């Protein structure tokens, strides 16, 4: 089985995923990193230059590939749950965990909104809040929800480790 981390940008999926994989001696994979390496450009540039629908197509391919792995912590891009098929394949063999973050924390964490193609730099907080509202019902389909605002990545990784270990004992 796998552990799949979903949630909005800035929720810490990549950092927590790396720590969690280390704790369990599992492999860590990150959908954005795989796509960027394959296309030889950062994902923000792919979205700007090739369009969001092409990026989503690459993301679906990557998700399908990773879902077939085992003992892998999969950190997903924030938009992965937009496609129900992505969630279906990831959930077949994975415990899906939502890292729930507040809009203010996202704003604080993403730093320069201009480098994020899906955030409007003239109204970063407003655009984060709008996208969060659209996506929260999709993220909420996860098996587990962890509030990340006031916790360290180490604490979050330890909590997920415990939840998943309990489930399998
Ligand atoms: C996206 C989130 C990004 C990246 C892309 C699209 C989104 O990933 O996949 O810019 O639609 O929310 P992170 O959540 O890792 O920042």
């Amino acid at each position: 089985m796998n552990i799949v981390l979903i949630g909005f940008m800035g929720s810490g999926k990549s950092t927590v995923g790396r720590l969690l994989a280390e704790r369990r001696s599992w492999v860590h994979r990150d959908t954005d990193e795989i796509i960027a390496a394959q296309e030889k450009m950062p994902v923000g540039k792919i979205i700007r230059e090739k369009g969001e629908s092409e990026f989503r197509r690459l993301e679906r391919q990557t998700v399908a590939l990773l879902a077939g792995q085992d003992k892998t912590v999969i950190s997903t891009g924030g938009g992965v749950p937009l496609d129900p098929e992505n969630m279906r394949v990831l959930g077949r063999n994975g415990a899906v965990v939502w890292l729930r973050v507040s809009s203010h924390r996202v704003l604080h964490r993403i730093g320069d909104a201009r480098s994020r193609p899906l955030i409007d730099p003239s109204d970063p907080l407003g655009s984060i809040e709008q996208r969060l509202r659209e996506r929260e019902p999709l993220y909420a389909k996860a098996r587990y929800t962890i509030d990340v605002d006031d916790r360290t990545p180490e604490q979050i990784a330890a909590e997920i480790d415990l939840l998943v270990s309990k489930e399998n004992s």
Side-chain angles (χ1 to χ4, degrees):
M1 73 161 266
N2 299 318
I3 300 175
V4 181
L5 304 183
I6 64 169
F8 205 68
M9 59 182 79
S11 59
K13 294 162 293 188
S14 302
T15 309
V16 170
R18 190 168 30 76
L19 292 170
L20 181 59
E22 267 168 29
R23 280 184 85 92
R24 299 180 73 87
S25 303
W26 283 15
V27 174
H28 178 231
R29 294 278 183 262
D30 185 307
T31 59
D32 282 346
E33 269 176 23
I34 293 175
I35 296 166
Q38 184 186 309
E39 298 301 300
K40 301 187 177 65
M41 62 172 96
V43 294
K45 194 166 177 205
I46 300 175
I47 295 176
R48 272 192 301 274
E49 292 189 359
K50 303 188 178 183
E52 186 176 345
S53 66
E54 171 61 7
F55 173 69
R56 298 296 175 207
R57 190 186 66 78
L58 296 166
E59 192 167 57
R60 268 195 301 278
Q61 270 181 359
T62 307
V63 161
L65 197 80
L66 292 179
Q69 308 287 303
D70 189 31
K71 295 193 171 152
T72 301
V73 178
I74 304 171
S75 297
T76 59
V80 161
L82 291 171
D83 186 334
E85 178 64 10
N86 282 341
M87 296 315 286
R88 200 181 62 78
V89 296
L90 287 166
R92 264 201 313 239
N93 180 34
V96 179
V97 182
W98 173 22
L99 304 189
R100 181 162 62 188
V101 67
S102 68
S103 51
H104 286 89
R105 189 52 65 122
V106 172
L107 186 63
H108 180 73
R109 286 196 181 162
I110 63 172
D112 183 3
R114 282 167 303 180
S115 66
R116 299 287 188 156
L118 301 178
I119 301 295
D120 175 1
S122 68
D123 179 18
L125 187 61
S127 58
I128 290 166
E129 282 172 345
Q130 190 195 333
R131 271 187 200 270
L132 266 177
R133 267 197 303 277
E134 288 162 9
R135 290 184 178 180
E136 283 192 333
L138 304 173
Y139 295 146
K141 293 186 175 155
R143 191 178 313 168
Y144 301 110
T145 299
I146 313 249
D147 284 306
V148 299
D149 272 15
D150 299 311
R151 322 190 37 205
T152 66
E154 287 80 7
Q155 288 169 333
I156 299 162
E159 182 171 346
I160 299 171
D161 190 22
L162 197 69
L163 282 171
V164 175
S165 303
K166 272 193 196 146
E167 171 184 308
N168 292 305
S169 64

